[in-house]
Coordinates of all heavy atoms in Angstrom, one line a residue:
V1 N 202.0 -25.4 -87.6 CA 202.4 -26.4 -88.5 C 203.6 -27.2 -87.9 O 203.6 -28.4 -87.9 CB 202.8 -25.9 -89.9 CG1 203.5 -27.0 -90.8 CG2 201.5 -25.4 -90.7
A2 N 204.5 -26.4 -87.4 CA 205.7 -27.1 -86.7 C 205.3 -27.9 -85.5 O 205.8 -29.0 -85.3 CB 206.7 -26.0 -86.3
S3 N 204.3 -27.4 -84.8 CA 203.8 -28.1 -83.6 C 203.1 -29.4 -84.0 O 203.2 -30.4 -83.4 CB 202.8 -27.2 -82.8 OG 203.4 -26.1 -82.3
L4 N 202.4 -29.3 -85.1 CA 201.7 -30.5 -85.7 C 202.8 -31.6 -86.0 O 202.6 -32.8 -85.7 CB 200.9 -30.2 -86.9 CG 199.5 -29.6 -86.7 CD1 199.0 -29.2 -88.1 CD2 198.6 -30.6 -86.0
Q5 N 203.9 -31.1 -86.6 CA 204.9 -32.1 -87.0 C 205.6 -32.8 -85.8 O 206.0 -33.9 -85.8 CB 206.0 -31.4 -87.8 CG 205.5 -31.0 -89.2 CD 206.5 -30.1 -89.9 OE1 207.3 -29.4 -89.3 NE2 206.4 -30.2 -91.2
H6 N 205.5 -32.1 -84.6 CA 206.1 -32.6 -83.4 C 205.0 -33.3 -82.6 O 205.2 -33.8 -81.5 CB 206.7 -31.5 -82.5 CG 207.9 -31.0 -83.2 ND1 207.9 -29.7 -83.8 CD2 209.2 -31.5 -83.4 CE1 209.1 -29.5 -84.3 NE2 209.9 -30.6 -84.1
G7 N 203.7 -33.3 -83.1 CA 202.7 -34.0 -82.4 C 202.1 -33.3 -81.2 O 201.5 -33.9 -80.3
D8 N 202.3 -32.0 -81.1 CA 201.9 -31.2 -79.9 C 201.4 -29.8 -80.3 O 202.0 -28.8 -80.1 CB 203.1 -31.1 -79.0 CG 202.7 -30.4 -77.7 OD1 201.5 -30.4 -77.3 OD2 203.6 -29.8 -77.1
A9 N 200.3 -29.8 -81.0 CA 199.7 -28.5 -81.5 C 198.8 -27.8 -80.5 O 197.7 -27.5 -80.8 CB 199.0 -28.7 -82.8
T10 N 199.4 -27.6 -79.3 CA 198.6 -26.9 -78.3 C 199.0 -25.4 -78.3 O 200.0 -25.0 -78.9 CB 199.0 -27.5 -76.9 OG1 200.4 -27.3 -76.6 CG2 198.7 -29.0 -76.8
L11 N 198.1 -24.7 -77.6 CA 198.4 -23.2 -77.4 C 199.8 -23.1 -76.7 O 200.5 -22.2 -77.2 CB 197.3 -22.6 -76.5 CG 197.5 -21.2 -76.1 CD1 197.5 -20.2 -77.4 CD2 196.5 -20.7 -75.1
D12 N 200.0 -23.8 -75.7 CA 201.3 -23.7 -75.0 C 202.5 -24.0 -75.9 O 203.5 -23.2 -75.9 CB 201.4 -24.7 -73.8 CG 200.4 -24.2 -72.7 OD1 200.1 -23.0 -72.6 OD2 200.1 -25.1 -71.9
S13 N 202.5 -25.0 -76.7 CA 203.6 -25.3 -77.6 C 203.8 -24.2 -78.7 O 204.9 -23.9 -79.0 CB 203.5 -26.7 -78.2 OG 202.4 -26.7 -79.1
T14 N 202.6 -23.7 -79.2 CA 202.7 -22.7 -80.2 C 203.3 -21.4 -79.6 O 204.2 -20.8 -80.2 CB 201.3 -22.4 -80.8 OG1 200.8 -23.6 -81.3 CG2 201.4 -21.3 -81.9
A15 N 202.9 -21.1 -78.4 CA 203.4 -19.9 -77.7 C 204.9 -20.0 -77.4 O 205.7 -19.1 -77.6 CB 202.6 -19.6 -76.4
R16 N 205.3 -21.2 -77.0 CA 206.7 -21.5 -76.7 C 207.5 -21.3 -77.9 O 208.6 -20.7 -77.9 CB 206.8 -22.9 -76.2 CG 207.7 -23.0 -75.0 CD 207.9 -24.4 -74.4 NE 207.1 -25.5 -75.0 CZ 206.0 -26.0 -74.6 NH1 205.3 -25.4 -73.6 NH2 205.4 -27.0 -75.2
A17 N 207.0 -21.8 -79.1 CA 207.8 -21.7 -80.3 C 207.9 -20.2 -80.8 O 208.9 -19.9 -81.4 CB 207.1 -22.5 -81.4
L18 N 206.9 -19.4 -80.4 CA 206.9 -18.0 -80.8 C 207.6 -17.1 -79.7 O 207.7 -15.9 -79.9 CB 205.5 -17.5 -81.0 CG 204.8 -18.2 -82.2 CD1 203.3 -17.9 -82.2 CD2 205.4 -17.7 -83.5
K19 N 208.0 -17.8 -78.6 CA 208.7 -17.1 -77.6 C 207.9 -16.0 -76.9 O 208.3 -14.9 -76.6 CB 210.0 -16.5 -78.0 CG 211.0 -17.6 -78.5 CD 212.3 -17.0 -78.9 CE 213.4 -18.0 -79.2 NZ 213.1 -19.2 -79.9
V20 N 206.6 -16.3 -76.7 CA 205.7 -15.4 -76.0 C 204.9 -16.3 -75.0 O 204.8 -17.6 -75.1 CB 204.7 -14.7 -76.9 CG1 205.4 -13.7 -77.8 CG2 203.8 -15.6 -77.6
S21 N 204.3 -15.7 -74.0 CA 203.5 -16.5 -73.1 C 202.1 -16.9 -73.7 O 201.7 -16.3 -74.7 CB 203.2 -15.7 -71.8 OG 202.2 -14.7 -72.1
S22 N 201.5 -18.0 -73.2 CA 200.3 -18.4 -73.8 C 199.2 -17.4 -73.7 O 198.4 -17.1 -74.6 CB 199.8 -19.7 -73.0 OG 200.7 -20.7 -73.1
R23 N 199.2 -16.7 -72.5 CA 198.2 -15.6 -72.3 C 198.4 -14.5 -73.3 O 197.4 -13.9 -73.9 CB 198.2 -15.1 -70.9 CG 197.1 -14.1 -70.6 CD 195.7 -14.7 -70.7 NE 194.7 -13.7 -70.7 CZ 193.8 -13.4 -71.6 NH1 193.8 -14.2 -72.7 NH2 193.0 -12.5 -71.5
T24 N 199.6 -14.1 -73.6 CA 199.9 -13.0 -74.5 C 199.5 -13.4 -75.9 O 198.9 -12.6 -76.6 CB 201.5 -12.7 -74.5 OG1 201.8 -12.2 -73.2 CG2 201.8 -11.7 -75.6

């Protein structure tokens, strides 16, 4: 949801927000 608000709802942006790697 936060990523959508910033216009960048990608796996990478979600992972970054959660402080984990995309692969994790």
